[in-house]
Each structure stands twice: as structure tokens, then as C-alpha cells.
Amino acid sequence: MKAERKKYLILFFSIVIFVFFLYGIYIFIYGSKTISTENAYTKADLAQVSPKIASPVKSVDVIDTQYVKKGDILVVLDNSDEKIALNMAKANLKSTKRKIEELISKDEEFAKKLDLDNARIEALKAVEEKTFIELQKAKKDLKRYKQLLKQKSISIQKFDDIKLVFDNSKKSWEEAKLNLKSEAASKLVTLAQKKSNLQLIKDKNIETNPDVLNAKATLEKAQLDLERTIIKAPISGIVTQKNVKIGQYVTTNNKLLTIVPIDNIYVNANFKESKLKKVKIGQKVELHSDLYGDNIVYHGIVEGISSSTGSELSLIPAQNATGNWIKVVQRLPIRIKIDKSDLKANPLYMGLSMYVKIYLDK
């Protein structure tokens, strides 16, 4: 009896030793090539939808939990004010273009006036030169007739006639000078007006005129505001946290709803720092979800390694520089990208628990 019991005990311990031996071989060959954790949860880069303008809500076209595609209409705002602003902007652009056209036309008129002023100045210069020559001749005649009068070779009447010619010549010359000076001043005024007008039209191109460009920008802004009365989904996903009702007056500070992009769900796996020595970006990953069980396997890759532990990013970070410090092994978040075909076949949602295994040799 004792011999038989001893035989069974030897067999039992042999089996236990053999199992431990096999387990050791497994750990040595396979266990060192993978790391795993159940401290992992699904995440997503949410899209918060807010209005770009302030306006009353006209209609709400979605409900919570509804799946929407990128570009689908979510909310429609009242657009009455935006239509008025758009019509005013269109009218302003037409008016501004007409104003610039008038300025360009004025520039052409100023150019014609300058040509006319130049022609008048040339004519008045000729008149001034002619009257100056006549004045010089009359001056010589007057001087000569003065000598003759002293010699009593001419009558006083004759001398008075010569003096009258001199006076008239001098008056004509002074009038010619005054007219020339006045015309030159008029030309300077025209030049100043043309220069000032030219500053408003620059290169005489209506489409590139600053005032026209400003009016165009106002029109584009009005058109954009009108388009923004129709709020569309920025990404595809499931609507959640809907907080908007018909008739509600919303502003740019209001968050209307949130979209969860379940097609781009990823996993944050929190591994102990002691296990991360061989973890690198691009390594293959296998995942299981508590939602579907171990039969459904998700495939992914290590997409990123966090720059800090969760405790460091908390509102009140741990103060380790104290007298009662106790070492605690920290966990570092690893971002896992899941294959989209797996997500399409078996959708995941935010906040689900996951089992993650990283293959360190792949």
C-alpha cells in the first residue's frame, strides 16, 4: 500500500515538475516576446459641433445615438438676417465698382484737360512773346520820339500817340503774363486732382482695386455666414451629447452636440513601466474586447507612446519629495491603432475594456 502511494506521489510530482518545465520553456521562448495587459480602454478623437454664427435654431435633423456621415445636415439655423446681409453686400460691391469706374473716367477727363491746358499755355506763351516784342518796339519808339520832341522835330500830338502805343503794349504784355500765370496755376490744380484721383484707382484695374477687394471680402463673408446656417457633420460617427432644440438661440459659445468617430476607435493600453523596455512604434498587436469575448480578435499596431504617465497629467500630481515616500510602479499609456476592417466587422465604442497583447518581435 505504501509502495503504491509512493509510486503515485512520485508520478504526481513528476507531472508537476514536467508542467513547470514546459511552462518555463514557454516563458523563455514565447513569454519574453509578448507583453499584455487588461488595463486598456477604447478611445476616439471626438468632434464637438458648435455654430459659427449666432442665430435661432430652425430645425434639428439628428437624434442621440444616430450614425451620420461626413457632410450630413445636423442642424439648420434661421437665415433671414444672413440673406439680408448677403443682398446688401452684393449691392455694395456693385456700387463700389460703379464708383471706381467713375474715378477711372475722371482720370481720363483730367488727362484731356491737361492736354487742353498745355495747348492753352503754349498759345499764351506765344501771345506773351508777341506782346513783349511789341512792347520792346514801342519802348524804342518812345525813346526816339522823346529826343525828337526835345528837338521840336515832332508835334506833341505825335508824341502822345507814340506814348499811347507804348502804354497799350505794356498793358497787353502784363495781361498776357497774367493769363499765362493763371493758366499754369490751373494746370497745377488739374495735375493735383489727377494725382489724388489716381491714388484711388491705382493701376486702373477695377477687380484689383482695394475698395473693390474689400467689398468682395464682405460679400464672401456674407455668403459664408449664409452657408454656416446649415451645420453639417465634420466627420462620420455617432451623435452623442445632443444639446440643441428648435427655437433655441445659439451663439458661437454653445456646444450643440458631439460626434464619436467609431470608424477610427483606438485603444489606450496602460502598461507598467517595467515592461516597456522593448516596446516600439509599429509593433503588431492583438486585442480582445469584453463586448464580443475572446473569439473575436482585433489586429492593430503600436501607434504611439505617451510622453508621461497618467499621474503626471492629473490635476494634482503626486508629490514624491516627501518623507513618507513609497515607490509605486507607474503605468505609461500606449496608443494602439486598430485595423479598420476589424472595426467595420465588429464595431467598438468609447470606454470599452480591452485585452491587449503586443508582439515585441514583430
Side-chain angles (χ1 to χ4, degrees), residues 314-331:
S314 61
L315 291 176
I316 306 177
Q319 297 298 318
N320 295 327
T322 60
N324 58 350
W325 173 77
I326 299 175
K327 180 178 179 180
V328 178
V329 177
Q330 299 296 317
R331 289 181 179 267

Side-chain angles (χ1 to χ4, degrees), residues 12-13 16-17 25 34 53 64 74 92 129 137 142-143 158 196 203 249 256 272 303-304 310 312 315 334 351 362:
F12 173 74
F13 283 111
V16 170
I17 291 171
I25 293 175
T34 64
I53 59 171
D64 268 328
L74 305 175
N92 179 57
E129 290 174 358
K137 181 178 180 303
L142 180 62
K143 184 177 181 181
K158 183 65 176 176
S196 176
D203 57 357
Y249 187 85
L256 305 183
K272 291 181 179 180
E303 189 174 27
E312 283 299 310
L315 291 176
I334 305 298
K362 294 183 180 181

